[in-house]
Amino acid sequence: MTCTGAIPGPARAAAVPRTWSGVGIALVAVIALLAVLVIAPTVAPAAAGPAAGGVDLEAEAARLADELGAPGVAVAVVDSTGVVGSAHHGVDGDGAPVGERTTFVWGSVSKSFAALVVSVLDESGTLSASDRVASVLPALRGGELDTTGVTIADLVHHVSGLPHQVEITDVWGRTSPASEVVPEIADVAGLGPRGTYRYSSLNYLLLQAVVETVTQRPYGDVLDEVLASTAGVTDVVTDPGRFAEDVPPGHAPYFFGERPVDVGFDSAGLAYGYLSGPTDSLAKYAAWQLGDLRSTSTESVERRDGAVGTGTGGRYGNGLIFEDRSDGDDDEVTVVRHSGAVPGYFTYLALAPERDVGVVLVANSYGELRSGESAGAAGAFADRIMGLPSGAQPDSGLYTGVIVGGIVLVLLLVALLGWVVTGLVRRPSPRRSTRATVTRVLLVSLVGAALLVGGLLGVPAVVGVPLGVASLWAPDAALLVWLTMGLVFLVTAVTVARELAWNHRVSGGVSASPDRPADG
């Protein structure tokens, strides 16, 4: 999955207040509140782990924990025969040291597992990837996905036209299977043309529903059998009870610290993001994937066929992204990768089949505003392991800019509120006609309403998710939006009250001071 809330830019500075005492108290209170909200990360000493390919994995794990801002990190290096090195650093959300059996949520890396299930069912004749999705899922019949002829293979490659709509995905506590969620997708708004790559977790929610429908079994049971028979992996978490017991809280960036996130389970989301398990299970799966990518068997070749261009130089196939990279000596190396994230957890899988090496990285922290930094740090780590020139690490400063800008905006609004309050209680009142008062009240009300509507409706429209959803992916940014909207409302209400109070005092016989100019 992967978009969340943004904060409006700083407003024009408020006028200098006549009296600063109330403003100073308010500023101190807000700064104290923000200080209390900041939670510093706690990191335990790194666990022992061997070097791989000349790289000290202990040092890499510690470096990644710092770069990702994560209390806990686990890394593994694999070849096609299995795990060749691993290291762990820090603590999980319960404060226990991270180890190879610590359970992490794998996010969109789950998609490659789903694609594997579909390919195995295709090989066995249980389904055909060329089948129309609507022929398998009755709730889609007669809808746009039916009339455009979207196939199961289209879902695998994200070319169905479905939008990335997180209101339907990432529903924590949902216990219904994916097949029961299909009617919500039948008439989803924003469907694009079939055949054009458009990443959307809704594709994989429908794939899970397809598997459940054609097998008449829970998706988790089918996945367990496929993994055991192909990759020899027997320990992944697909049950809500075990998820609640085994998955510790993750973390999200929160005012330059970390805040625990008690990640919930989504039974309809195992195919697109809520598969989880210990790191050694993911590493074992990565080793199998590497061997499968190197294989020339018919089944392996068929799994790699059909990858479609993403429009950014990569190809998407079988739940993985294929990229051609230069090794620095004018030779090309194919890198097969996928990142994954849910609120509180980040995962990165990268494989280089020609070099028979792959890496797995899991971390118990993720914030959408730092997604570029997370992907950059993970990609640089993978490049070091695979011996490739490191690409530029994205560090746009988006997170810092949004949070600092949001805090400044909140403080400016607090100062403005203090200035308005001091004007409300001051004596005597300025001379002002009733017409001028009505004009000012209407103007202030319209401006305040416009700002509130723009914030509460415009911000979600721009970032693509409601503020309630954004609070999972960027809780500090979402809080700043709510604080900003609350302060805009208070400034508007108090300003209107001030204008009415001044008019009442003047009309009731209280005149302005002769040595004070009229305010209009």
Side-chain angles (χ1 to χ4, degrees):
M1 198 302 254
T2 53
C3 260
T4 136
I7 304 296
R12 238 171 67 188
V16 177
R18 300 175 186 267
T19 303
W20 282 97
S21 58
V23 179
I25 293 172
L27 287 173
V28 170
V30 171
I31 292 171
L33 172 63
L34 293 174
V36 170
L37 292 173
V38 175
I39 302 174
T42 302
V43 179
V55 177
D56 185 346
L57 292 184
E58 288 184 11
E60 289 292 329
R63 182 210 305 266
L64 288 164
D66 180 62
E67 292 178 348
L68 299 172
V73 165
V75 297
V77 177
V78 303
D79 63 18
S80 55
T81 65
V83 179
V84 298
S86 64
H88 315 89
H89 180 88
V91 296
D92 66 17
D94 293 325
V98 171
E100 64 180 14
R101 302 301 300 167
T102 301
T103 302
F104 289 78
V105 187
W106 298 336
S108 288
V109 172
S110 306
K111 291 180 171 67
S112 66
F113 289 78
L116 172 61
V117 170
V118 169
S119 67
V120 169
L121 294 179
D122 188 22
E123 291 163 13
S124 69
T126 305
L127 59 79
S128 172
S130 60
D131 286 343
R132 292 192 173 199
V133 178
S135 69
V136 180
L137 303 176
L140 298 179
R141 292 172 189 167
E144 206 166 346
L145 290 174
D146 187 11
T147 57
T148 56
V150 170
T151 66
I152 295 173
D154 291 337
L155 300 179
V156 172
H157 299 106
H158 294 291
V159 293
S160 67
L162 283 167
H164 192 55
Q165 195 170 95
V166 295
E167 295 94 322
I168 301 176
T169 61
D170 301 274
V171 180
W172 293 356
R174 178 164 56 188
T175 57
S176 56
S179 54
E180 293 184 13
V181 185
V182 174
E184 297 181 40
I185 305 176
D187 299 314
V188 68
L191 191 69
R194 178 192 172 205
T196 300
Y197 177 82
R198 189 183 189 188
Y199 186 88
S200 170
S201 289
L202 294 181
N203 288 304
Y204 278 72
L205 192 155
L206 289 180
L207 282 178
Q208 180 173 330
V210 166
V211 172
E212 293 167 352
T213 302
V214 300
T215 63
Q216 291 297 295
R217 298 173 61 199
Y219 173 82
D221 291 351
V222 179
L223 174 64
D224 286 339
E225 286 189 4
V226 168
L227 288 179
S229 62
T230 55
V233 175
T234 58
D235 191 12
V236 295
V237 179
T238 59
D239 173 74
R242 186 180 169 196
F243 187 97
E245 181 178 344
D246 287 3
V247 177
H251 300 82
Y254 199 66
F255 295 105
F256 308 105
E258 295 289 327
R259 190 180 81 167
V261 178
D262 195 5
V263 183
F265 185 72
D266 182 359
S267 289
L270 288 171
Y272 64 73
Y274 285 84
L275 196 61
S276 59
T279 307
D280 61 346
S281 291
L282 183 57
K284 190 172 184 179
Y285 167 76
W288 176 84
Q289 273 282 6
L290 189 59
D292 190 60
L293 290 166
R294 289 169 56 82
S295 174
T296 57
S297 70
T298 302
E299 295 82 1
S300 299
V301 171
E302 288 177 352
R303 272 193 281 271
R304 296 195 295 274
D305 284 349
V308 301
T310 63
T312 57
R315 305 178 302 281
Y316 199 98
N318 206 36
L320 295 165
I321 298 170
F322 292 73
E323 293 179 337
D324 295 325
R325 297 274 305 276
S326 170
D327 66 356
D329 295 321
D330 297 327
D331 290 326
E332 280 195 347
V333 175
T334 301
V335 175
V336 184
R337 63 172 181 84
H338 212 295
S339 60
V342 298
Y345 281 96
F346 174 74
T347 305
Y348 192 83
L349 170 70
L351 309 167
E354 291 97 337
R355 298 195 168 186
D356 195 19
V357 62
V359 300
V360 167
L361 159 66
V362 287
N364 58 7
S365 178
Y366 182 78
E368 187 63 23
L369 292 177
R370 294 186 61 183
S371 61
E373 296 174 42
S374 298
F381 163 66
D383 290 341
R384 287 193 292 272
I385 296 295
M386 295 185 293
L388 296 175
S390 183
Q393 181 170 330
D395 185 6
S396 63
L398 175 64
Y399 176 75
T400 300
V402 167
I403 299 304
V404 171
I407 292 173
V408 170
L409 178 58
V410 166
L411 293 178
L412 288 174
L413 287 170
V414 169
L416 178 59
L417 179 62
W419 177 64
V420 174
V421 168
T422 59
L424 175 63
V425 300
R426 74 179 181 173
R427 295 289 196 278
S429 305
R431 284 193 297 270
R432 184 168 296 158
S433 67
T434 299
R435 177 179 294 180
T437 297
V438 171
T439 300
R440 287 171 180 264
V441 166
L442 288 176
L443 181 61
V444 169
S445 299
L446 287 173
V447 171
L451 290 174
L452 287 171
V453 171
L456 297 176
L457 298 181
V459 171
V462 169
V463 302
V465 296
L467 288 175
V469 175
S471 65
L472 295 177
W473 297 90
D476 44 6
L479 175 60
L480 287 171
V481 172
W482 285 116
L483 286 174
T484 300
M485 294 301 98
L487 286 166
V488 167
F489 174 80
L490 287 175
V491 169
T492 303
V494 174
T495 302
V496 168
R498 183 186 70 171
E499 295 297 323
L500 295 175
W502 281 352
N503 184 69
H504 174 73
R505 290 173 193 163
V506 172
S507 62
V510 180
S511 61
S513 172
D515 61 352
R516 177 177 295 168
D519 288 350

